[in-house]
């Protein structure tokens, strides 16, 4: 956690890149530019990005974009993707409708 | 709340193997799988597996799946399908979503065998219909009988990319090329060779620049990359495709373990974030096991062994199996697992540049960059030799753990030896009868039968042939060399489809004598293969 705080002290200046409009999180339609912008806004962990933008919060639960988002954030921060704290696994690990979640079977 | 001795999440190779093993020892087991069909990826694997007899080498993956499922049913294992495990909580309480309800069950032990998901790469156009994971394409063709498209570009030259490319071709797709940013082909050379000899080009050191189209893929642009894997301007090349398959690795689906409180670690060599576990697959949470790809990306053969080890370890923990028999079983399985982890493609060798074989023979650079061996290179490998009459020529040039060729030869002409990764050696004075069992048993389709003295001016070459329709005897076509180039006219002398060959048909063609070491594939018309 401490390391992430170190990342936070270096302000990152926003500059646009030609592929900023590339969609990265398909479920929530979040672009590369939005993710890069979030890092400039001070989001330095995957958890923070997830809460800020909803990347990886859609139907596939980050199965498709998880590594892509991590790669973009790491590049922006100038660290290795593996050095970033992975997103926390939370229940339900697959999307479940609220009406189902509230309906417990007796078995 | 219903209680089980073992709850298994995932009915793939690891989960089913564990279920069978646990049930054998009398444990009460439940298996949950989110899919409508059991088997995980096994039922998509229509190719023959590598390994030795104990690893069920030369058996096609889906048949291994069928056998496992039959065993599980016979042992009364409860496999609940369309059952999504959404969480694992304290005291091994598992929440399963089934139909429109959720149920709570408890396991004295739990095995998470959830497998992996496919990695993606983002490039302009990657969200267009027609861009898909290679595994998705494999599901379409092998489970649903639906072609993803007609002209395919494969991105990624690892075994998944190579195997799926071949299977797409078997279904009638045209493989326009295989692209990889790496300079060298990542998968087995034998898998690459069977694609290359159909004329498919390998674009190594290339990347996909963009997919084109408005509502579906109508083409792609690829280009050469520099050291930083960026496309070098001016090297772009447009290819006419309607499908792009992505095979750039897998990521363990380990979220359940993270939420269950297991200590996790991110290890590139294992494909991502995995739980820390001991040799039995037990995580930092006592009684919570992992097996298969979720604990580190490997393959189905090792996943099945890991599943069994975890089940035996759990049986010992719960008192279904004594300490001594359990330890003995586990050491046997660990030795078997160790055998699979040998050779050039062993997990420990990932990323290493290997220049020569265990025997000290220089690896073919052509095989690693273009997907095929140059003719003059074959001679330095022990599977090659010339003799009068019919004999095998084995173009197996990398150390991989596999030896069915040695086991099937009724005349013991082929020798791999005790070291399962050794290159097969053909006996100098082989008493080859031309039965073809070795050709059909080679999972890499790397064995050919050559007879240089078929008649005064012709040789016969027997090749493994897994395409339909089978050409009729007497058909005049062309022989292709290892790179897929047509080299001469060839006449089909025979096509053998013996049940013992398990759908690897043996096509024997007559070619001019001087072509016996060049002709390695047959095409009815050259234009159909070359595209």
């Amino acid at each position: 956690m401490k390391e992430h705080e170190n990342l936070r002290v270096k302000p990152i200046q926003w500059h646009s890149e030609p592929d900023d409009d590339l969609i990265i999180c398909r479920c929530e339609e979040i672009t590369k530019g939005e993710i890069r912008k979030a890092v400039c806004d001070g989001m330095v962990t995957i958890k923070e990005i997830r809460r800020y933008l909803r990347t990886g919060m859609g139907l596939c639960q980050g199965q498709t974009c998880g590594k892509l988002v991590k790669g973009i954030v790491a590049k922006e921060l100038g660290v290795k993707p593996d050095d970033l704290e992975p997103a926390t696994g939370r229940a339900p690990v697959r999307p479940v409708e609220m009406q189902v979640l509230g309906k417990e079977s007796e078995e | 709340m219903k209680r089980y001795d073992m709850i298994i999440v995932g009915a793939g190779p690891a989960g089913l193997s564990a279920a069978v093993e646990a049930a054998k020892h009398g444990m009460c087991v439940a298996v949950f799988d989110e899919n409508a069909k059991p088997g995980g990826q096994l039922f998509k694997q229509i190719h023959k597996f590598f390994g030795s007899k104990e690893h069920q080498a030369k058996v096609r993956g889906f048949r291994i799946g069928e056998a496992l499922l039959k065993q599980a049913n016979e042992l009364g294992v409860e496999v609940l399908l369309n059952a999504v495990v959404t969480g694992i909580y304290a005291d091994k309480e598992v929440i399963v979503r089934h139909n429109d309800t959720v149920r709570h069950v408890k396991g004295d032990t739990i095995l998470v065998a959830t497998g992996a998901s496919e990695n993606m790469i983002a490039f302009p156009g990657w969200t267009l219909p027609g861009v898909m994971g290679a595994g998705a394409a494999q599901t379409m063709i092998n489970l649903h009988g639906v072609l993803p498209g007609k002209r395919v570009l494969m991105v990624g030259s690892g075994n998944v990319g190579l195997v799926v490319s071949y299977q797409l071709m078997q279904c009638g797709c045209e493989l326009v090329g295989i692209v990889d940013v790496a300079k060298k082909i990542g998968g087995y050379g034998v898998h690459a060779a069977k694609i290359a000899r159909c004329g498919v080009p390998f674009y190594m050191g290339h990347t996909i620049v963009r997919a084109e189209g408005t509502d579906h893929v109508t083409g792609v642009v690829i280009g050469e990359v520099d050291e930083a894997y960026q496309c070098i301007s001016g090297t772009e090349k447009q290819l006419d495709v309607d499908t792009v398959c992505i095979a750039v690795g897998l990521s363990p689906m380990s979220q359940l373990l993270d939420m269950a409180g297991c200590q996790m670690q991110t290890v590139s060599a294992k494909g991502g974030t995995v739980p820390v576990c001991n040799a039995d697959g037990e995580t930092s949470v006592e009684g919570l096991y992992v097996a298969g790809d979720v604990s580190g990306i490997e393959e189905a053969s090792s996943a099945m062994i890991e599943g069994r080890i975890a089940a035996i370890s759990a049986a010992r923990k719960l008192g279904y199996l004594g300490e001594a028999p359990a330890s003995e079983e586990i050491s046997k399985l660990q030795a078997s697992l160790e055998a699979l982890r040998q050779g050039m493609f062993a997990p420990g060798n990932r990323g290493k540049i290997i220049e020569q074989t265990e025997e000290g023979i220089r690896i073919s650079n052509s095989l690693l960059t273009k997907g095929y061996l140059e003719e003059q290179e074959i001679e330095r490998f022990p599977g090659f030799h010339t003799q009068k009459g019919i004999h095998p020529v084995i173009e197996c040039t990398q150390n991989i753990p596999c030896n069915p060729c040695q086991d099937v030869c009724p005349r013991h002409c082929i020798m791999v030896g005790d070291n399962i990764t050794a290159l097969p050696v053909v006996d100098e004075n082989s008493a080859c009868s031309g039965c073809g069992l070795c050709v059909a048993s080679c999972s890499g389709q790397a064995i050919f039968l050559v007879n240089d003295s078929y008649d005064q001016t012709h040789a016969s070459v027997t090749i493994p042939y897994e395409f339909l329709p089978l050409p009729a005897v007497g058909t005049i076509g062309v022989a292709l060399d290892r790179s897929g180039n047509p080299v001469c006219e060839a006449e089909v002398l025979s096509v053998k489809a013996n049940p013992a060959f398990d759908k690897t048909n043996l096509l024997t063609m007559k070619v001019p004598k001087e072509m016996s070491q060049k002709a390695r594939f047959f095409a009815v018309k050259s234009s159909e293969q070359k595209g």
Side-chain angles (χ1 to χ4, degrees), chain B residues 185-199:
Chain B
I185 293 169
Y188 288 178
V190 287
H191 279 320
K194 63 187 195 191
I195 299 165
R197 62 178 174 254
C198 294

Side-chain angles (χ1 to χ4, degrees), chain A residues 78-102:
Chain A
V79 298
K80 279 191 227 144
D82 284 359
D83 292 343
L84 287 180
E85 192 188 345
T88 313
R90 291 185 199 285
V93 296
R94 291 282 190 267
V96 183
E97 301 89 319
M98 288 306 289
Q99 59 173 15
V100 175
L101 207 55

Side-chain angles (χ1 to χ4, degrees), chain A residues 48-88:
Chain A
E48 285 166 355
I49 300 273
R50 192 156 84 167
R51 288 178 181 164
Y52 197 63
L53 296 174
R54 283 192 60 80
T55 50
M57 300 281 274
L59 196 62
C60 88
Q61 290 288 291
Q63 215 86 266
T64 310
C65 71
K67 271 193 179 165
L68 297 175
V69 173
K70 213 171 167 183
I72 293 165
V73 174
K75 195 176 170 210
E76 211 59 24
L77 293 169
V79 298
K80 279 191 227 144
D82 284 359
D83 292 343
L84 287 180
E85 192 188 345
T88 313

Side-chain angles (χ1 to χ4, degrees), chain B residues 212-229:
Chain B
E212 296 173 327
T214 45
D215 59 356
H216 66 279
V217 175
T218 54
V220 289
V221 174
I222 63 168
E224 255 179 80
V225 294
D226 58 19
E227 296 303 312
Y229 299 122

